Amino acid sequence: MDEVIKGVLTTCTGGMVAAMVGVLDWKTAATNHQYLATAKELKPDVNWSSKQWVVDGMFWTAGGALAGMDMFAHWVTENYGQDIAETGYLSLDFEPRDVNEKPVSARFGPPQSFSVTPARFFQTNLRVRSPSLRTLKRLTSLHSACHQ
């Protein structure tokens, strides 16, 4: 069975790692703001942004850990729906912000009962992997596919 990649997400200097294998060439991306000047020097083909996080197609990049949590919250909402996202927020005691750092959870209203528990969601939907050579090889092949 072929896997469908729903997105490539990076936080902090992970955007620089993805850029170094070429998958962010000609895309807008974020990285840790302390390293923004370095990123621009190393990979001038990337449109580096000082925003907290950026979405360019399937590539979601964030400037740091908290911005990454906010970005990932929006990715989950977009890909799995509001019920799943709010279940995660409640279980983590997390209130996400939008790309302009404004809280967004207030618009969700009071907590409701959800059709899936956080444990069930994570068991069935997420596979957590450490960054590895395999990940870099997949990014490289993705780069090749994007630039054919």
Side-chain angles (χ1 to χ4, degrees):
M1 174 169 62
D2 290 336
E3 287 186 41
V4 176
I5 298 174
K6 290 188 176 192
V8 175
L9 290 79
T10 68
T11 61
C12 201
T13 56
M16 290 173 62
V17 173
M20 295 308 288
V21 297
V23 297
L24 296 178
D25 287 355
W26 315 117
K27 299 201 175 296
T28 301
T31 192
N32 184 294
H33 296 165
Q34 286 185 295
Y35 297 98
L36 200 51
T38 302
K40 288 176 180 182
E41 281 181 38
L42 291 174
K43 285 302 285 183
D45 292 339
V46 176
N47 179 24
W48 293 106
S49 172
S50 61
K51 287 187 175 183
Q52 292 298 308
W53 50 277
V54 173
V55 180
D56 191 337
M58 67 186 291
F59 298 94
W60 295 60
T61 55
L66 185 56
M69 289 177 63
D70 293 332
M71 177 188 73
F72 187 69
H74 289 274
W75 183 88
V76 170
T77 301
E78 192 171 293
N79 287 277
Y80 293 98
Q82 193 63 44
D83 280 355
I84 297 293
E86 286 199 26
T87 299
Y89 305 157
L90 291 171
S91 67
L92 296 171
D93 193 20
F94 176 64
E95 296 182 28
R97 303 169 301 168
D98 67 15
V99 72
N100 297 312
E101 299 186 62
K102 293 183 179 158
V104 295
S105 60
R107 71 176 178 209
F108 301 141
Q112 311 197 3
S113 60
F114 300 105
S115 57
V116 65
T117 65
R120 186 69 165 147
F121 168 73
F122 288 112
Q123 288 170 351
T124 58
N125 291 297
L126 296 179
R127 286 178 279 157
V128 178
R129 292 184 219 140
S130 298
S132 64
L133 184 57
R134 178 179 175 210
T135 301
L136 291 175
K137 285 181 181 178
R138 290 184 80 189
L139 282 172
T140 302
S141 68
L142 180 62
H143 169 67
S144 299
C146 289
H147 295 283
Q148 287 184 0

